[in-house]
Amino acid sequence: MFKKKMFFTLLLLMVITILAACGGNSSEGTTAVSGPASSDGEARTLRISLGLNDQHPLYKGSEKFKEIVESQTDSLKIEIYHSGQIADDRSAIEMLQFGTLDITIPSSAPFVPFVPEYGVFDLPFTLTDTEMVDSVLQGEFGKNLAAKVESQGVVQLAWWENGFRQLTNNSKPIKTLEDLKGLKIRVMENETHIASWKALGANPTPMAFTELFTAMQQKTVDGQENPYPSILLEKYPEVQKYLTETNHVYSPFLFLFSKKVWDELTPEQQEIIEDAAIEAGEYNRELTRQTAEEALEELKSQMEFTEISDEELAKFKEAVQPVIDKYKSQIGTEIVDQYLAEVEKYSKE
Ligand code: KDG
C-alpha cells in the first residue's frame, strides 16, 4: 500500500514539474517574446517589432526611444527587431493582444480591421501637408481617436510618421488616369485602399509589407505605393523603374503597446515609456520629413520621375469620390465627419 502511495505521489510531482516547465511557452503556440516580469530586480526586456529596415527613420526613432527609456530607468531594456524579423504588421498586432510581444509601430491601414475608425486615414487626397497632419493628429482629434483602441487589447502611446504615399512601377511612366489602367499594384491589406485603386482603374493586390520586395522582384506585381523614405531605403529602384508623385494618402505610424504588458508595469515605468514614445515621435517625424526630401532628390537620379498635372489630379479625385462615399459608413459616419471637418478647418485657416 505504502509503495503504491509513494508511486502516485512521485507521479503527481513529475506531472506538476512538467506542467511548470511548459508554462514558459505561451499557450497561444507562438514563442513568447515578451520579456519576463522583473521580480528579481532583473531589468524587464521590452521588444519592438518593425516592418521596415534599420536604415529607416522608424528604426532611428525606435533607437531614440530605447536611449530615452534606458537613460531614465534600469528596470527596463528595449530590444528592436526590424524588417519583420518577428512578424508582419497584422500578426504583430495580434501578438500584442496576446501579450507575447510588447510594442509594434505599424501604419494605420493594417490596423483598420481591429479599429475601423482608423480608416479615416485611408480616404484618398484628404490630408495634404505636414502642418495639416500635425494639427489633426497632435490635436484633440488624434487624442480622441487613440483613446478608442484599448478595447482591442492595445494602448496607442503616440503618432509617428510613415508619410505621404507615392506610386512606383516597372512598366511605364504614369502621367494620366488612363496610364493606370490594368496596372497590377501591391496595396496594404485594407479594403479602402483596394477599392480606391480599383476606382482608379488599376488592379490592386493586398499583401503584407514583408512580401513586397520579392513580389516586385518576381514581377508578381508591376508596382506599389509607399512614402519616399521607404522607396529609397528599402531599395525599390533595384526592382522599379518609374516613380510618380501622387501624395494620394498620408500614412501615420501608430506606436502601439500591449495592454496586457502595460498593465503589468509600474506607474513610473508607464510614465517613462509614454513620455519617451512622444519625445521619440517628434524626433521620428522631423527625421522622416527631412529624409523624404533627400530621398526624392536621390530617387530622381535612380528612377524616371513623373508628376500628375492638376487637371489629371482632379480626375483622380473624381474617380475615388464614390469610394469615400461608400466607406464612410463602414469607417463610421461620425468620425469621418469629424475628420473631414478638421481637414476643412485647417484648409480655411
Ligand atoms: O512596420 C512598418 C510597415 O508597417 C509599413 O511600412 C507599412 O507602409 C507600409 C506598407 O506599405 O505596408
Side-chain angles (χ1 to χ4, degrees):
M1 182 58 182
F2 171 74
K3 277 200 183 130
K4 225 184 206 172
K5 247 194 189 159
M6 185 51 125
F7 170 72
F8 280 113
T9 319
L10 278 175
L11 190 65
L12 192 60
L13 273 176
M14 268 171 65
V15 170
I16 291 166
T17 323
I18 292 165
L19 279 178
C22 296
N25 291 328
S26 60
S27 55
E28 292 87 12
T30 54
T31 312
V33 290
S34 175
S38 57
S39 55
D40 53 5
E42 277 287 301
R44 175 170 192 152
T45 300
L46 299 175
R47 290 164 177 86
I48 304 181
S49 169
L50 305 176
L52 288 149
N53 67 24
D54 58 359
Q55 301 309 304
H56 195 277
L58 178 64
Y59 186 88
K60 307 293 182 193
S62 302
E63 284 185 314
K64 173 65 79 177
F65 171 78
K66 172 182 170 66
E67 186 192 307
I68 299 168
V69 170
E70 293 181 359
S71 70
Q72 296 193 11
T73 176
D74 298 335
S75 70
L76 296 169
K77 287 274 171 273
I78 308 295
E79 287 181 357
I80 309 166
Y81 295 83
H82 62 84
S83 305
Q85 287 169 35
I86 292 180
D88 61 41
D89 290 331
R90 193 174 50 201
S91 311
I93 296 164
E94 287 163 355
M95 291 173 81
L96 259 62
Q97 293 180 311
F98 286 132
T100 55
L101 178 65
D102 310 291
I103 302 169
T104 191
I105 315 176
S107 283
S108 56
F111 190 59
V112 171
F114 299 88
V115 184
E117 288 91 338
Y118 278 68
V120 291
F121 304 113
D122 304 319
L123 301 174
F125 306 110
T126 44
L127 294 172
T128 53
D129 62 58
T130 52
E131 279 176 42
M132 181 193 279
V133 164
D134 291 345
S135 85
V136 173
L137 289 186
Q138 306 304 328
E140 281 309 300
F141 181 86
K143 210 181 286 149
N144 297 339
L145 184 54
K148 292 177 184 293
V149 305
E150 294 207 12
S151 60
Q152 285 299 315
V154 298
V155 184
Q156 183 182 341
L157 299 180
W159 296 95
W160 288 23
E161 180 149 299
N162 190 359
F164 287 95
R165 304 179 77 91
Q166 321 297 345
L167 178 67
T168 69
N169 85 90
N170 214 29
S171 308
K172 57 185 163 178
I174 305 292
K175 291 185 183 143
T176 66
L177 189 60
E178 190 57 30
D179 291 336
L180 285 177
K181 272 218 168 16
L183 205 65
K184 214 169 173 195
I185 298 177
R186 175 268 175 182
V187 295
M188 289 183 280
E189 296 160 303
N190 175 289
E191 282 186 40
T192 311
H193 284 251
I194 296 167
S196 299
W197 285 100
K198 272 193 184 140
L200 291 168
N203 173 4
T205 303
M207 189 186 290
F209 184 74
T210 42
E211 297 159 30
L212 175 52
F213 193 88
T214 310
M216 292 188 286
Q217 216 168 24
Q218 295 174 349
K219 301 190 179 352
T220 317
V221 294
D222 302 320
Q224 66 85 45
E225 42 81 56
N226 252 290
Y228 290 130
S230 300
I231 295 170
L232 179 71
L233 300 169
E234 295 284 341
K235 302 189 182 322
Y236 291 174
E238 289 179 5
V239 287
Q240 298 273 278
K241 288 198 197 84
Y242 305 100
L243 171 65
T244 310
E245 181 157 283
T246 50
N247 291 315
H248 53 278
V249 156
Y250 170 83
S251 268
F253 276 142
L254 319 177
F255 192 106
L256 299 178
F257 203 101
S258 163
K259 177 102 174 54
K260 263 202 173 111
V261 178
W262 184 253
D263 294 343
E264 291 168 4
L265 301 175
T266 65
E268 295 73 28
Q269 288 174 323
Q270 290 179 346
E271 192 178 338
I272 289 169
I273 290 169
E274 182 157 12
D275 293 350
I278 292 167
E279 186 182 339
E282 279 156 29
Y283 170 81
N284 160 265
R285 278 194 303 284
E286 264 165 52
L287 183 60
T288 303
R289 290 167 191 182
Q290 183 197 327
T291 308
E293 282 174 27
E294 293 160 3
L296 175 55
E297 290 322 303
E298 179 55 31
L299 288 168
K300 283 178 178 174
S301 69
Q302 297 184 28
M303 304 174 82
E304 185 177 331
F305 177 69
T306 55
E307 291 173 284
I308 309 289
S309 67
D310 292 348
E311 194 194 337
E312 277 299 319
L313 202 56
K315 293 181 191 167
F316 277 56
K317 291 178 178 175
E318 194 189 335
V320 293
Q321 189 54 48
V323 174
I324 294 177
D325 301 338
K326 176 173 179 226
Y327 281 86
K328 191 171 177 176
S329 54
Q330 196 164 314
I331 297 166
T333 305
E334 194 190 340
I335 191 97
V336 171
D337 287 344
Q338 282 169 8
Y339 173 70
L340 295 178
E342 284 291 321
V343 167
E344 187 67 25
K345 191 172 74 184
Y346 175 86
S347 317
K348 285 212 179 78
E349 275 166 12

